[in-house]
Amino acid sequence: MFGLVDGNSFYCSCERAFDPTLRGKPLVVLSNNDGCIIARTQEAKDHGLKMGEPWHIASKRPGLEPVIWMSSNYALYGDMSRRMYEVLSASAPAVEPYSIDEMFLDLTGVSDLAALAHDIRDRVRRIAKIPTCVGIGPTKTIAKLANKAAKSYRTGSGICDLSTEDARHAAYPGIAISDIWGVGPAAAAKLGARGVSSVADFVAMPRDEVRGLLTVVGARTHAELLGVSCIPFSQTPPTRKSLAVTRSFGRAVTDRRELEQAIASYATRAAEKLRRHGLVATAMQVFVRTNEFNK
């Protein structure tokens, strides 16, 4: 049995944790050089703001005066992710980080799944100051689907339990095929052309037909949605093959000394990452680019 814990509007929640005056207000976090929206609170979503939208264009639309924007602070977000991981590690049998704001839980042997999920949400909110949603299922794909369902109900408990076949039978008809983990736009279009629009439609397809249409990856997803676990739990992340520290400057840098200092700073951060992951480097690349849109 798996759980998936996901921090709600994670970057925004991290900012709110250190500035309570931001709570309840529309807030967006922008990418490097304050370019595009990479995180939004629900209040910002209600203003029609989209992920990836260029802020210099979106901010000019009427009615967005109440929206607060902030530059990204990845050092803060990484530290808050670590705090969340530590809380989960003390609450669940095992934890597998999936991304900075998503972590799988191994819930095998847990007798009361709902009670543990409520306790986990409460502890993460109280200790790490991050609101979360929890999805539960017998496979990773179902747990991730349940998490998405939990986030879609704004007035719900923040928990969706699809651990039983009856629960899945009731939920699948109302979940769009595009909500499935691993089913991208191209795969969804192929399925849509065959009249498959919901998860219920997808699991009703013959296995061989799924494999012929979506290859072995789609067949694995199909099996996972039927309750057959194909993606193992791993507490040890795969060894990284490379790492990067890249930043965009907020203005044109024309002084060589200033550029050297910036590169030295980024190289130091890269070395810190190497040591943290217990790695050594066999090669290093340094690159500098000018603004391609500046003639």
Side-chain angles (χ1 to χ4, degrees), residues 186-206:
K190 289 181 181 179
L191 292 168
R194 299 198 178 198
V196 177
S197 60
S198 70
V199 179
D201 296 334
F202 182 57
V203 298
M205 292 178 66

Side-chain angles (χ1 to χ4, degrees), residues 103-248:
M103 301 182 192
F104 282 106
L105 309 177
D106 182 355
L107 302 179
T108 304
V110 176
S111 57
D112 193 336
L113 295 167
L116 179 61
H118 281 286
D119 180 63
I120 283 172
R121 288 192 76 233
D122 177 67
R123 286 171 60 84
V124 174
R125 184 63 181 262
R126 180 163 39 87
I127 299 173
K129 311 301 182 187
I130 300 295
T132 60
C133 284
V134 182
I136 302 171
T139 69
K140 283 186 172 181
T141 302
I142 294 175
K144 195 159 175 62
L145 194 69
N147 180 276
K148 193 173 185 69
K151 293 179 75 171
S152 66
Y153 296 105
R154 294 173 59 179
T155 58
S157 64
I159 298 169
C160 180
D161 184 356
L162 297 181
S163 59
T164 67
E165 191 172 344
D166 288 343
R168 296 192 293 276
H169 182 74
Y172 280 1
I175 304 177
I177 195 74
S178 57
D179 287 339
I180 300 174
W181 182 32
V183 176
K190 289 181 181 179
L191 292 168
R194 299 198 178 198
V196 177
S197 60
S198 70
V199 179
D201 296 334
F202 182 57
V203 298
M205 292 178 66
R207 181 181 59 184
D208 292 342
E209 184 181 352
V210 173
R211 181 163 184 160
L213 188 67
L214 303 179
T215 71
V216 68
V217 176
R220 183 182 66 182
T221 299
H222 185 260
E224 285 249 328
L225 289 168
L226 288 171
V228 180
S229 183
C230 304
I231 307 174
F233 188 89
S234 174
Q235 290 179 261
T236 305
T239 302
R240 300 179 65 160
K241 298 293 190 295
S242 64
L243 60 83
V245 177
T246 63
R247 298 289 186 272
S248 295

Side-chain angles (χ1 to χ4, degrees), residues 248-249 251-254 287-295:
S248 295
F249 294 105
R251 55 179 174 78
V253 176
T254 58
F287 66 91
V288 183
R289 291 182 60 188
T290 190
N291 182 357
E292 61 186 86
F293 300 106
N294 187 346
K295 302 302 181 183

Side-chain angles (χ1 to χ4, degrees), residues 15-25:
E15 299 290 350
R16 283 175 166 178
F18 285 87
D19 186 355
T21 63
L22 297 173
R23 294 173 186 170
K25 297 178 181 178

Side-chain angles (χ1 to χ4, degrees), residues 2-13:
F2 298 91
L4 179 66
V5 181
D6 181 17
N8 299 341
S9 303
F10 184 70
Y11 292 171
C12 295
S13 294

